[in-house]
Amino acid sequence: MPVTVETPTEKWAGKVREITLGATAAEGGTRTSTVTVGGEGTMPFLHFEGETPHRPVVAIEIYDIAPQDWSPILMDYWGDVVNDVVAWAKKAVELGADAIALTLRGAHPEVNDRSPEDSARVVKDVLAAVGVPLIVYGPGAPDKDNEVLVAVAEATAGERLALGLCEQNNYRTIAAACMGSGHIAVARAPIDVNIQKQLNILISDMGLPLDRILMDPTTGALGYGLEYTYSVMERLRLAALQGDAMTQQPMICTAGHEAWRAKESKVGEGVPEAWGDWKERGIAWETVTATSLIEAGADILVMRHPEAVAIVKKTIDQLVAK
Amino acid sequence: MDTRLPSGNGQVREARRCAVVFKPSGRVIEVPAGTLLLDAARQAGVSIETPCGGYGRCGRCRVLVESGDVARRDTYHLTADEVAQGHALACQTQVQGSLTVFVEPREAISRRYRPQEEARAAQIALPLDGSFICQPSLRKLHVAVEGPSMEDNTNDFDRLGRDLVREYGVPRLRADLPVLRTLAADVRSANWDVTAVVDDEEPQLPQQWEEEMGETGVHMEGPTRLLAVEPGDTTGRALGVAVDIGTTTVVVYLVNTANAQVLDTASAYNAQISCGDDVISRIIYSQRGDGLNHLRKLVTDTINGLLDELAKRNGIELRDIYEMSVAGNTTMTHLFLGLNPKYVREAPYIPTVNLPPAVLAADLGIPIHPQARVKCAPGVGSYVGGDITAGVLSSGMFRTDKLTLFIDVGTNGEIVLGNKEWLITCACSAGPAFEGGGVKDGMRAIPGAVQEVWINSETLEPTCRTIGDLPPQGICGSGLLGALAEMFISGIIDKGGRMRRDLDTPRVRIANNIAEYVLVKAGEQGAKRDIVLTEADINNLLRAKGAIYAGFSVLVRSVGLTMADVEQVMIAGAFGQHIHIEKAIQIGLLPDMPWDRIKYVGNSSALGAYFALVCREARAALQAVARKMTYLELSADNSFMDEYTRALFLPHTDINEFPSVGRLLEQTRQKGTAAVKA
Amino acid sequence: MALTGLQIYKLLPKTNCKECGVPTCLAFAMKLATKSAELSACPYVTEEAKNELEAASAPPVRLVSIGADGRKIEVGNETVLYRHDKTFYHQPGLVVRVKDTQSADEIKAVADAVCGYCVERVGLSLNVDGVAIENASGDTSAFAKAIEVVGSNANVALVLMSSVPATLDTVMPMVADRRPLLYAADAGNWQAMAEVARKYKSPLAVKVDCGDLSALATLTEDITKAGVTDLMLDPGTRSMVDSLQAMTKIRRLALRKNFRPLGFPMISFPGEGASSPLEEVAAASQHIAKYGGVIVLDHFDPTLIYPLLTLRQNIYTDPQKPIQVKPDVYPIHEPDANSPLLITTNFSLTYFTVAGEVEASGVPAWLLIADSEGLSVLTAWAAGKFDAEKIKKAVQTSGILDKIAHKRLIIPGYVAGMSGEIEEELPGWEIRVGPREAVDLSSYLKSLRS
Ligand code: SF4
Ligand code: FES
């Protein structure tokens, strides 16, 4: 006896907010291309249920100085360009970056202690060299982050950069800087749905419009807490779809940074044979970390190895195909 | 006719002039229609108190519009009846025509708002529904016994017993040796006209309750014990004490069990505080050397000190007190009885005993009558003790059909959910913040404690009231709760509890690297020093309220219900004589529901101990309640952590759970916020 | 539909007699609701109540097992769509496919590799579960030979792939005792396939084309009626996006609508839609996260299998358990023998916050993580899981003593009260009290330095 199955579609009350990174000349910036993410009205890629108007994008991460602590696999791949941030940025775009994620590591007091003004200049140089949108991270020392990002924000007003990180205990300065110069704030919470939402509320209470806040749920790499990030992202997306206006921000994940910190990708010697080939493993580690996050609802992936980027972009092609 | 005020800055079309007469001063002013009544009063030189700054929050600017047209915004501070009578909030009302307005003199207002803290003991009354009949297990029975003779050579004890059965139906009389040793002399010196002091050993549970609650496992019958024989008829006064041993505070009620009247009460900090703020620290302390003994002595000393105070004040002898009814959490009960609480703390968290036996006062070093029994309320487990069964008892929730949520806000916050059919409970560590502990200028709810706070949203200036209107010395639970709510609503702190550092007010300052708000400056209201609330204090309060909100959220969900199913909420705790329900909702301590469903029941544990003292059915019910309660362990439960983080926000991460607060914030925002520093 | 604790309670005797091993009937009801107790533990439930409760607790996704004692794949019995709602219970089996057109040596190499592969991760050894043998040649004897090669040396679960029932009937006697999964019944062969499955009591995969779920449900209804109930579903989708949608629909229908015809675990073939091994890995990781039951891979390479096994372990970790990190010494910023030593608990959030703040401070330091069973500082302290003894044990057994030349330990500010006890447990040590909140660590550590 034939059975007819009805498609089990969920009716959602809300959707993810759309956010555009980068501004073209017409919009008051200098980008030749911009990136729009968000807008999803379904759990990831269930096209029978709701729209996925924009594909997830990949940003390639570069540093303003040659990284000291990156895996040799990465350093080998990039070669000399790591010494020249402008060349590095251009190469990354050639290799398929939809956006550049620039970490101003050189400004860290323990590294080169580069001044806020000089750091802002680096950002301007990169802006001049590439046409894609920019995500700019501070050096990772709270006070200096604030100084540097304020300088960057002012020097690049109107470019609609994404600036990070706004965290629970340090969000006001960066959010205010974004507010004044038309940038987007990256709000990072420590793998916690509630804290993420609270942070979004606090930032939006300051007056930064919600279409200028990205959520960074904090990425756990494969084998290092990936499942927590995965579930937090699913919960955030579900809440967004259920109409919770304060969780409807698109999500950005630092898959590259985390995956390449894992022992599996960082270390080649003295590890079990069952781990297989080092280089391939590193790339697979980043790939699986990134694709899993895409399945959980990531909108922007910040990645490091171009071969992993290529596979991830292909995966995205497959997933957005109707 | 009243017309609704347009929200926001309503446009007034015609600038009609209206004359406003203020009584009793008789001052008159002419203002354009649309003027706020409050502004009109100011222009007329009539002073109206505006603690909240004219935001419609405090309700203190209430006036009576005797005649004339006004337009008013809705307010929860006035009932429909009051509105019909013409009452209005001056800050929420526009002049629409010529008016006569009566402004109550200041003293009258403060009298109306004075909480009943002055009326202390008199407040405690038996529940009106008649659940508890005054039938104490401690009784004084007067008999005029026919003396012995050659014909009737029954021994003294049986002779007395025989009359007690005949006249009072006392079953199976028993006595301990010390009583018998003096019995012969006692009866004869009184010429056989004596009052027997007796105590029922086993509690009795009325048949009807038994049916309601199902099988309770509580025994029904038991012997009666003779405690003493007093000469003549002394039945008018049978003294007992009810004691609540809190982790932070100890409270003693002196009661005449003959008529259930509370004669006096006294309270003090539990002297064990010197060995740690919370139960865990005390347990740890008890494991060191003579720690257990020392803690036992400290709490006994505290109680004895209070007994002395009561005896002195009331001119009584301690020997005349024949029963002590105690309620305390499991750790406090263990320490009081000298039981080792070690395993209360360690998983799987097992107390020595849930239902301690009645103990001779003399054995515990309590100097009341040596035959007096000390009876502790039974507990459910390590983290839900006799204080909670006592609370459930006094709240009456174990006999109601209504789904009731009972919350005891203490150092350890305990929560009970249920009705007469079932009861489920959990405990969450809230910290002592609401009892004034762990807060820089926190204190107990005693005279001189700030118990009410309003903050003007524009000037950010506070208005404080203390218990007894004495010079402020610190802030008690209800004051902390109010201050937190006011600082939040007026925008001094953000939803995460962080103080805004860019506000243009000297009240917010940085001291020792921590931001603080000065609630009372030295000199204000006669204060000797500054009284402040620091960011760290706010964090502690947030954690306390977060733990409690999370606790009952998880509890409600654990049985598959939602907050909307809860029909009434009873809140207990050492906040003081009263708490502002609306403030408790504003900070997200209590669920956002109509206020009439929420009731503050004060120190329910002490009240329960009192009920058990004056009513033996109540003591039996305590046992039934303890057996019936199901304990839910929250620790190591992720859903609790999740709810807790959700609740660590003002009022809550999900504003949809607090619609009334959302509306209030919206209104406040529309009026604009306080000035920011240039 | 699952009943709530209160609904179950209403069906129990309500006498609180404690014989079921918990203090009250309500407590027992709540355990039943979370499926952590058996109804039979209460001797006093009435027959009616029993029937009602049993009907309500039938699993919406059938538990199906493949293989015998050696290595067994057990999948199904799932109760949630999202792991955060409870947990995913039965991790998917990962099997590697060989074809009977390959040489015996090739087949043997794969089977040996699969059988011998084992990798240790967080104290657990992770394995590949089985081998699928496909009758690609169409020839029964070649198929039998391939099965022999795999079956003789490998103690792994088997999937036999052939669309010809007679072929399966012929080879089954070789391995019937190992309860292989038969792949697959379809609209054309289902009667005969069901017959074979019934004969050998084997689980049977059911397959349709391109995600036609109505056809799939029709088939499973028919086959169940024919007496075979251990089924696995192949919706026939092969691209990532089609698989995701079909598999999500199947799981949703089973859980949300309690739709029995699709209440079975699923089998999938990530390699069939991929053009490179790495793409296969990407697809397979989707199937691990999104409802795969048996995942048939076309490549075996440790480099690629290891991430998948790790992902499977991650996704199937119980999210209700407190998140823990390994108790150990964590160096931050290359500390030396004189760098400060901090201790805290192994609740992951505690660890991440503390480690993050120390990292941000730029001060090189040793972070010692004590085993508090995943509880945060205050909770652990309250429960006696972060006391002086535990701290002593962490200091003495973690290996930190070989790494530092001083005896100064910084404890969290919240447990300042313990410093005396710790000094007693660790004679000669100086116990310093750090800040209560991690945020203040940075300035604290810097102040130590100056
Ligand atoms: S055994 Fe049955 S009746 Fe007894 S307590 Fe347990 S559930 Fe209740
Ligand atoms: S309500 Fe009118 S001043 Fe507060």
Side-chain angles (χ1 to χ4, degrees), chain B residues 269-535:
Chain B
Y269 273 127
N270 184 335
Q272 291 176 342
I273 286 180
S274 58
C275 307
D277 276 343
D278 48 61
V279 294
I280 301 297
S281 314
R282 309 268 172 92
I283 295 175
I284 293 172
Y285 185 91
S286 74
Q287 299 309 305
R288 275 189 246 149
D290 198 32
L292 175 56
N293 215 1
H294 185 219
L295 288 170
R296 196 183 68 74
K297 195 170 159 339
L298 286 175
V299 69
T300 312
D301 288 351
T302 306
I303 294 171
N304 291 348
L306 292 170
L307 288 172
D308 280 342
E309 180 184 330
L310 289 168
K312 221 167 277 149
R313 216 158 45 208
N314 295 278
I316 57 159
E317 295 289 330
L318 286 180
R319 264 191 72 92
D320 290 342
I321 298 173
Y322 283 106
E323 184 175 335
M324 177 181 270
S325 171
V326 176
N329 64 46
T330 304
T331 304
M332 287 306 116
T333 306
H334 273 61
L335 294 175
F336 173 58
L337 296 175
L339 305 172
N340 187 350
K342 180 164 195 254
Y343 304 99
V344 164
R345 174 198 181 200
E346 290 171 12
Y349 318 111
I350 306 299
T352 302
V353 61
N354 278 346
L355 172 59
V359 184
L360 275 179
D363 290 348
L364 291 173
I366 309 274
I368 57 178
H369 191 280
Q371 280 292 306
R373 296 304 196 270
V374 177
K375 300 173 184 174
C376 296
V380 178
S382 279
Y383 288 106
V384 175
D387 52 341
I388 298 310
T389 47
V392 168
L393 175 83
S394 63
S395 73
M397 72 180 287
F398 70 108
R399 295 196 61 210
T400 172
D401 288 321
K402 286 192 186 167
L403 183 63
T404 305
L405 183 64
F406 171 89
I407 306 169
D408 187 354
V409 181
T411 313
N412 203 27
E414 290 101 345
I415 299 148
V416 187
L417 177 73
N419 52 26
K420 69 180 185 194
E421 268 180 62
W422 52 271
L423 294 166
I424 183 166
T425 174
C426 70
C428 45
S429 155
F434 283 119
E435 292 173 76
V439 173
K440 190 160 178 274
D441 288 329
M443 68 183 282
R444 268 183 320 134
I446 54 172
V450 172
Q451 63 164 350
E452 213 185 306
V453 176
W454 296 100
I455 295 175
N456 184 316
S457 292
E458 262 151 35
T459 61
L460 303 183
E461 284 298 304
T463 307
C464 299
R465 271 186 55 91
T466 60
I467 299 179
D469 286 327
L470 295 174
Q473 292 168 15
I475 320 166
C476 72
S478 56
L480 289 167
L481 200 147
L484 183 61
E486 285 292 291
M487 289 172 74
F488 167 48
I489 300 294
S490 61
I492 295 170
I493 51 177
D494 69 17
K495 291 173 181 160
R498 288 181 71 86
M499 226 172 273
R500 293 271 304 269
R501 285 144 208 256
D502 54 352
L503 294 172
D504 189 17
T505 167
R507 292 269 172 187
V508 176
R509 64 187 187 196
I510 310 281
N512 306 322
N513 261 329
I514 295 186
E516 60 185 31
Y517 177 79
V518 188
L519 207 54
V520 182
K521 279 200 205 97
E524 283 176 352
Q525 294 177 258
K528 293 220 175 61
R529 56 183 182 89
D530 289 357
I531 294 172
V532 303
L533 210 63
T534 71
E535 216 164 53

Side-chain angles (χ1 to χ4, degrees), chain C residues 164-353:
Chain C
V164 185
T167 305
L168 288 172
D169 194 18
T170 314
V171 298
M172 265 309 270
M174 300 169 62
V175 287
D177 58 328
R178 295 176 56 173
R179 226 179 119 76
L181 171 68
L182 303 181
Y183 182 95
D186 57 31
N189 68 11
W190 69 267
Q191 276 116 332
M193 272 295 185
E195 199 43 51
V196 179
R198 217 171 49 157
K199 182 166 160 194
Y200 298 101
K201 298 193 175 61
S202 268
L204 175 64
V206 184
K207 171 189 166 186
V208 292
D209 287 333
C210 324
D212 185 347
L213 299 188
S214 295
L216 190 57
T218 308
L219 261 178
T220 60
E221 277 286 85
D222 288 338
I223 296 175
T224 332
K225 284 207 192 92
V228 181
T229 49
D230 281 349
L231 302 180
M232 286 213 135
L233 311 176
D234 176 5
T237 45
R238 290 300 179 261
S239 78
M240 281 183 79
V241 70
D242 291 343
S243 296
L244 177 66
Q245 307 200 27
M247 292 167 86
T248 306
K249 286 179 192 168
I250 290 175
R251 181 55 56 85
R252 270 193 195 171
L253 285 163
L255 297 187
R256 294 250 207 271
K257 310 259 184 253
N258 215 0
F259 184 62
R260 298 282 166 187
L262 295 180
F264 299 97
M266 292 173 258
I267 180 167
S268 58
F269 299 86
E272 290 188 12
S275 54
S276 75
L278 209 49
E279 276 181 61
E280 181 183 15
V281 167
S285 54
Q286 173 184 296
H287 297 179
I288 287 171
K290 295 292 180 184
Y291 318 132
V294 168
I295 299 170
V296 182
L297 300 168
D298 285 321
H299 298 88
F300 179 81
D301 175 351
T303 313
L304 302 178
I305 214 81
Y306 178 40
L308 287 180
L309 290 170
T310 306
L311 179 66
R312 183 175 73 175
Q313 187 184 30
N314 281 175
I315 296 288
Y316 279 78
T317 298
D318 183 355
Q320 307 300 322
K321 292 233 176 78
I323 315 172
Q324 305 189 15
V325 292
K326 194 167 149 237
D328 206 346
V329 181
Y330 293 83
I332 298 175
H333 293 308
E334 295 167 17
D336 59 29
N338 291 314
S339 303
L341 171 66
L342 299 96
I343 190 165
T344 191
T345 68
N346 75 332
F347 175 47
S348 76
L349 219 53
T350 305
Y351 165 78
F352 284 127
T353 351

Side-chain angles (χ1 to χ4, degrees), chain C residues 421-444:
Chain C
E421 291 162 70
I422 304 173
E423 270 160 17
E424 279 168 37
E425 292 282 349
L426 290 170
W429 280 70
E430 180 189 335
I431 306 302
R432 294 193 175 175
V433 177
R436 290 158 79 97
E437 303 293 340
V439 224
D440 303 320
L441 265 173
S442 185
S443 55
Y444 175 80

Side-chain angles (χ1 to χ4, degrees), chain C residues 23-212:
Chain C
T24 64
C25 295
L26 182 57
F28 184 64
M30 289 169 66
K31 287 197 134 191
L32 286 178
T34 57
K35 302 201 168 26
S36 45
E38 291 290 330
L39 185 57
S40 56
C42 171
Y44 305 108
V45 235
T46 62
E47 274 311 307
E48 298 142 66
K50 218 177 258 173
N51 293 338
E52 204 166 321
L53 288 170
E54 267 156 16
S57 63
V61 178
R62 189 177 171 81
L63 185 70
V64 175
S65 63
I66 303 168
D69 298 347
R71 207 160 278 167
K72 199 160 156 181
I73 299 175
E74 226 177 30
V75 282
N77 248 359
E78 299 300 338
T79 57
V80 292
L81 284 170
Y82 303 106
R83 55 187 293 283
H84 63 255
D85 280 336
K86 179 92 185 102
T87 185
F88 288 172
Y89 291 96
H90 294 97
Q91 61 175 26
L94 289 176
V95 307
V96 179
R97 165 155 62 180
V98 295
K99 297 184 174 172
D100 64 0
T101 47
Q102 288 171 283
S103 75
D105 285 350
E106 278 173 325
I107 295 174
K108 185 163 170 14
V110 172
D112 286 353
V114 165
C115 186
Y117 188 81
C118 176
V119 64
E120 186 93 8
R121 210 185 154 80
V122 228
L124 293 173
S125 47
L126 311 180
N127 301 93
V128 186
D129 303 275
V131 177
I133 306 150
E134 183 177 343
N135 181 211
S137 66
D139 173 32
T140 308
S141 63
F143 193 36
K145 198 165 284 152
I147 294 172
E148 200 185 318
V149 172
V150 175
S152 68
N153 74 349
N155 193 16
V156 290
L158 298 177
V159 180
L160 303 185
M161 303 176 64
S162 165
S163 54
V164 185
T167 305
L168 288 172
D169 194 18
T170 314
V171 298
M172 265 309 270
M174 300 169 62
V175 287
D177 58 328
R178 295 176 56 173
R179 226 179 119 76
L181 171 68
L182 303 181
Y183 182 95
D186 57 31
N189 68 11
W190 69 267
Q191 276 116 332
M193 272 295 185
E195 199 43 51
V196 179
R198 217 171 49 157
K199 182 166 160 194
Y200 298 101
K201 298 193 175 61
S202 268
L204 175 64
V206 184
K207 171 189 166 186
V208 292
D209 287 333
C210 324
D212 185 347

Side-chain angles (χ1 to χ4, degrees), chain B residues 49-50 52-54 56-61 89 91:
Chain B
E49 226 186 326
T50 56
C52 75
R57 287 207 310 276
C58 64
R60 294 300 162 84
C61 59
L89 297 185
C91 73

